[in-house]
Amino acid sequence: MSSEASEVLLTTRGGTLRQRFPFLQRKRGIALVVALIIIPLLGLLGLLALRNRHASSSSDNGPQGMQGDIVTNDTFFYGQSEPVYPSPPMKGTGAWADSYDKAIKFVGQLTIEEKALLASGVTSSTGTSGTLNGCSGNIAAIDRMNFTGLCLTDAGQGVRATDFVSGFPSGIHVGASWNKALARSRAESMGLEFRVKGANIALGPVVGPIGRVVRGGRNWEGFSVDPYLCGALAAQTVEGIQSQGVITSTKHFIGNEQEFYRSPTAGGVEAVSSNIDDKTMHELYLWPFQDAVYAGTGNIMCSYNRVNNSYGCANSKTQNGLLKTELGFQGAVTSDWGALHAGVANSLAGMDMVMPNSNLWGDELVKAVKNGSIPESRLDDMATRVIASWYQMKQDQGFPSPGVGIAPDLTKPHKIVDARNVLSRKVLIDGAIEGHVLLKNINNALPLKQPKMLSIFGYSARSPDQWNYKSDGGVAAWTFGGESAYLARDTNAGFAGVVDADFSQIAPNGTLFSGGGSGAVTPASVSSPYDALVQRAYDDGIALMWDFYSPTPDVVSTSDACLVIVNAFASEGFDRPGLRDDYTDGLISHVADKCNNTIVVFHNAGVRLVDQWIDHENIKALIFAHLPGEASGRALVSLLYGESNPSGKLPYTVAKNESDYGHLLAPDRPQGQFVKFPQSDFSTEGVYIDYRHFDRLNITPRYEFGFGLSYTTFDFSNLLVARNETANIDVYPTGPVLEGGQSDLWDVVASVTATVTNTGAVGGAVSAISGASCGCC
């Protein structure tokens, strides 16, 4: 997602630089045949939505886009995605009424050229290669209207690629907390930092991918594979960030479930198509977006992939039909960075803003309106949706200048804008603590009991050797979360569209605070486990031994406990090559063979299998630490010593073997007749992903969805269910469409209450899927 398309530059043989997505530079298909003008309007628009660069006819192609047994032309797929036209105009319903009225008056004073500016990113102004600021993208100012422009920037875990900001826990970490209040507090703190830095639109939260593909490279950015849990936490995130006057861009809409082939690649291979039936779409993939729209998200980012063989940002069914009609979405739809493949078709299909820029919009958008290809009313609606969001968040009232604290080049002198707030420190540490999940704890090995000597092993214990901004015109390691992961070697290859590289499963050069890519965090300071353990050892007067390099380290037999702190890396741009690796499993087994109190800690950016060693008699405890953000070390030590009690629960299922996940394990690739048009058939499994898949096939997992241990115990009693007699329980909703869908879809059907009692010896908390936490001292 996001600014990588404008920041990652590749050197061609001729010596010039081009953006990393080669498909952005290829020639488009020829214009639609003039004869199509006689086809009825809806038919024409349907063709436009499905059309891409391969839509041109060729005498070499057989009927229906075939050449022999190979599909070579998009015409083969026409009709697979239902055309829905025209694009519904914004109505200003509910809480948007005042902002809508202001936007209508504002847009009514603009020229066609100015309206097109609001829909088109500013060329040469994006990211660390830009000239205006370091924002991921910009919308130009309209000075005569006192509109200062917009700064859009990453990411879902904090303000990326700039200085003097905090590193918040990643989405998967928040998902493991199952805590709505924590999600809200985190979002408010993040939103404040975006505001101080001058970011009008925060590019998050992520609810797609939801995690269909177990090895998906971006699963760590989202909250959970469960649509209810994911949506509940996304809603809190939207409300929290927007409470600070910053617009959220909930992403990626929709079916964006794998990194490989997410965009067109070399050899004329188009982006993968997520083929989704109506039931699966509504009950699984659309659900969290519906929560975000109901919460008032001002922006939605359309995705790279195709949906039912129509590109996500040119798909009229998903944008016009699902989002703007069914869900009543009032804001603007923004393209993922470089996801625009057509001009007129994308506009008519419901996309409202292109990022970071494109030669298909801007001046071309003006031409299309003037020659009648796009009705001016559609351009008016695009501009209205953008400006209405600006008014809705009151950004016309004292909002900082766009990108004021996001310098385009941190190596050069620039004004320091410190966005951190001392009140956020509690959110950072609490958030880091609550996303840890205790999976094994034999004979109460944890918490530690006044140890005299600890031995520490594993590459994820220490801070990275490098934590330093470098502007190199490519994928800077610090900028994209690659300091620990071979200095972003793999992320760089993934962004370049490489699919067959020897991608690593681990980040061997230091601990993980987040995954890689545009969702990475770049905090001003960090606390690694080793740093925090050294401080604790000094305070307590204990001895430490450590070895972070050897795969077969010496182990001191007098150690009270041996900590093995390792990781499982994932990044945007590529999908994980596996769910376990021999090096890490070998290290864990070696230490366990020599230490009778071995405690394993994983910083995992997704599912990590443990069956190679989990039953070893000397492995007494296992923690999935996920991606805790900057307070990682302090949080872990607090848990190890029992100052905090683990309350996290898995937001996914851990299998015993990779084969247990079936075809959901790995991303789909081009094959057979679709070697040019890779297909991913979601209807194969329907809604049965993750725990539903295991339940359906009666497969026993190693750790089930929702599993997590505690240092204490709880008793549940007095369960009461009270039905709301006024709720509509008809088969179909009948209420008016408001923001988030028909109003009676949100009726509270029943209320459930219970008494939760801490029956153990220590304080603790337990969370339910609603996100409410309970506990006592």
Side-chain angles (χ1 to χ4, degrees), residues 344-424:
V344 171
N346 282 55
S347 173
L348 297 178
M351 202 188 95
D352 301 302
M353 181 198 296
V354 64
M355 278 288 136
N357 50 69
S358 175
N359 57 14
L360 292 173
W361 276 22
D363 291 342
E364 295 303 312
L365 202 55
V366 173
K367 293 178 183 176
V369 172
K370 289 185 175 180
N371 68 24
S373 300
I374 298 175
E376 188 169 356
S377 60
R378 171 80 267 263
L379 182 61
D380 288 345
D381 184 56
M382 293 158 67
T384 298
R385 289 173 176 271
V386 172
I387 291 297
S389 297
W390 184 67
Y391 279 124
Q392 184 74 356
M393 304 308 152
K394 297 181 172 54
Q395 292 185 359
D396 60 319
Q397 302 174 26
F399 198 88
S401 299
V404 65
I406 310 175
D409 189 344
L410 298 178
T411 65
K412 297 177 180 178
H414 60 280
K415 179 182 178 182
I416 297 298
V417 177
D418 194 339
R420 297 169 298 173
N421 188 303
V422 67
L423 297 179
S424 296

Side-chain angles (χ1 to χ4, degrees), residues 121-249:
V122 180
T123 303
S124 301
S125 71
T126 298
T128 54
S129 61
T131 55
L132 292 180
N133 48 48
C135 300
S136 303
N138 286 277
I139 292 296
I142 304 176
D143 293 332
R144 74 178 186 87
M145 297 294 294
N146 295 319
F147 174 69
T148 56
L150 299 174
C151 161
L152 297 82
T153 205
D154 302 311
Q157 285 72 54
V159 188
R160 184 183 67 85
T162 191
D163 52 7
F164 292 91
V165 294
S166 302
F168 292 87
S170 298
I172 193 173
H173 205 85
V174 178
S177 77
W178 289 52
N179 189 332
K180 291 199 298 183
L182 173 65
R184 174 63 186 250
S185 297
R186 166 182 173 268
E188 289 173 355
S189 293
M190 283 199 308
L192 179 59
E193 293 199 9
F194 276 97
R195 181 187 182 95
V196 171
K197 284 291 188 177
N200 301 84
I201 300 179
L203 301 174
V206 170
V207 298
I210 199 171
R212 172 185 185 261
V213 178
V214 185
R215 283 168 31 195
R218 302 191 74 176
N219 293 350
W220 62 273
E221 294 186 53
F223 301 108
S224 173
V225 294
D226 180 77
Y228 184 87
L229 175 58
C230 182
L233 297 176
Q236 294 298 315
T237 302
V238 167
E239 291 178 2
I241 291 176
Q242 293 193 164
S243 72
Q244 305 300 316
V246 175
I247 302 165
T248 54
S249 181

Side-chain angles (χ1 to χ4, degrees), residues 292-364:
V293 172
Y294 185 69
T297 187
N299 196 275
I300 293 284
M301 180 183 292
C302 56
S303 56
Y304 284 128
N305 57 288
R306 293 178 297 146
V307 181
N308 296 328
N309 286 291
S310 173
Y311 270 101
C313 292
N315 193 305
S316 65
K317 170 62 177 179
T318 58
Q319 295 180 139
N320 289 342
L322 298 179
L323 185 60
K324 291 184 175 180
T325 299
E326 286 190 29
L327 302 191
F329 175 59
Q330 297 294 292
V333 178
T334 297
S335 75
D336 204 337
W337 268 233
L340 183 74
H341 302 306
V344 171
N346 282 55
S347 173
L348 297 178
M351 202 188 95
D352 301 302
M353 181 198 296
V354 64
M355 278 288 136
N357 50 69
S358 175
N359 57 14
L360 292 173
W361 276 22
D363 291 342
E364 295 303 312

Side-chain angles (χ1 to χ4, degrees), residues 54 279 576 614 684:
H54 286 292
K279 170 186 168 67
R576 298 167 62 192
I614 192 61
T684 301

Side-chain angles (χ1 to χ4, degrees), residues 105-119:
K105 293 176 183 177
F106 184 102
V107 172
Q109 301 175 62
L110 301 181
T111 65
I112 291 178
E113 289 76 11
E114 288 170 332
K115 296 172 192 175
L117 279 177
L118 291 174

Side-chain angles (χ1 to χ4, degrees), residues 557-573:
S557 61
T558 54
S559 299
D560 293 291
C562 299
L563 306 176
V564 186
I565 305 174
V566 286
N567 64 50
F569 182 63
S571 174
E572 178 184 4

